[in-house]
């Protein structure tokens, strides 16, 4: 189970499982990153699409408050590098402003 869990982490998909490898790939490919809270504005700005539809939003089956301290600690340990990557992306987004950033914007943090 843990091998499966680790394989779906963002840092595995965008790197080799670490914060630094994911940032390296994001910067080298200069991909566009759009935080979910800016997605509707990005759609309007970039594509002229006025939509707030969340038709494919997943049904919530598990909440943080459903986890006991032991499981919550395990989740944090497994996802630590992803949490650090998310914070790095959000820090760059707050600095740049607007609806999106590019991988190269992570270089300034």
């Amino acid at each position: 189970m843990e091998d499966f869990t680790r394989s779906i982490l963002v840092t595995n998909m965008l790197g080799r499982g670490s914060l630094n490898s994911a940032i390296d790939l994001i910067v080298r490919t200069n991909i566009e990153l759009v935080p979910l809270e800016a997605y509707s504005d990005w759609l309007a700005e970039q594509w002229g699409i006025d939509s707030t539809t969340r038709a494919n939003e997943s049904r919530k089956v598990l909440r943080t408050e459903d986890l006991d301290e032991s499981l919550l600690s395990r989740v944090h340990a497994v996802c630590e590098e992803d949490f650090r990557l998310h914070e790095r992306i959000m820090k760059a987004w707050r600095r740049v402003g607007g609806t999106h950033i590019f991988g190269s914007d992570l270089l300034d943090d």
Side-chain angles (χ1 to χ4, degrees):
M1 177 69 163
E2 191 158 324
D3 287 343
F4 170 76
T5 304
R6 289 192 190 282
S7 71
I8 62 171
L9 296 174
V10 174
T11 50
N12 265 344
M13 293 184 177
L14 295 176
R16 291 176 304 283
S18 70
L19 171 68
N20 290 336
S21 67
I23 289 175
D24 180 56
L25 182 62
I26 291 168
V27 169
R28 283 190 297 122
T29 58
N30 204 32
I31 63 173
E32 183 176 24
L33 301 162
V34 180
L36 285 177
E37 52 263 46
Y39 187 67
S40 293
D41 292 336
W42 175 82
L43 280 175
E45 175 186 286
Q46 298 296 316
W47 299 99
I49 297 172
D50 183 23
S51 174
T52 56
T53 302
R54 296 291 301 263
N56 68 342
E57 183 175 5
S58 299
R59 184 175 57 87
K60 291 166 183 52
V61 294
L62 183 65
R63 300 168 305 168
T64 303
E65 49 276 3
D66 295 332
L67 304 177
D68 65 24
E69 199 59 42
S70 172
L71 282 173
L72 193 56
S73 178
R74 187 168 176 207
V75 167
H76 280 281
V78 169
C79 298
E80 181 179 2
E81 292 290 282
D82 276 17
F83 291 149
R84 291 176 57 210
L85 177 60
H86 178 264
E87 183 52 39
R88 180 86 176 260
I89 291 168
M90 296 307 288
K91 180 180 175 187
W93 179 59
R94 287 188 296 268
R95 179 180 41 74
V96 171
T99 61
H100 63 277
I101 62 171
F102 289 96
S104 60
D105 292 315
L106 296 181
L107 290 173
D108 296 329
D109 284 332

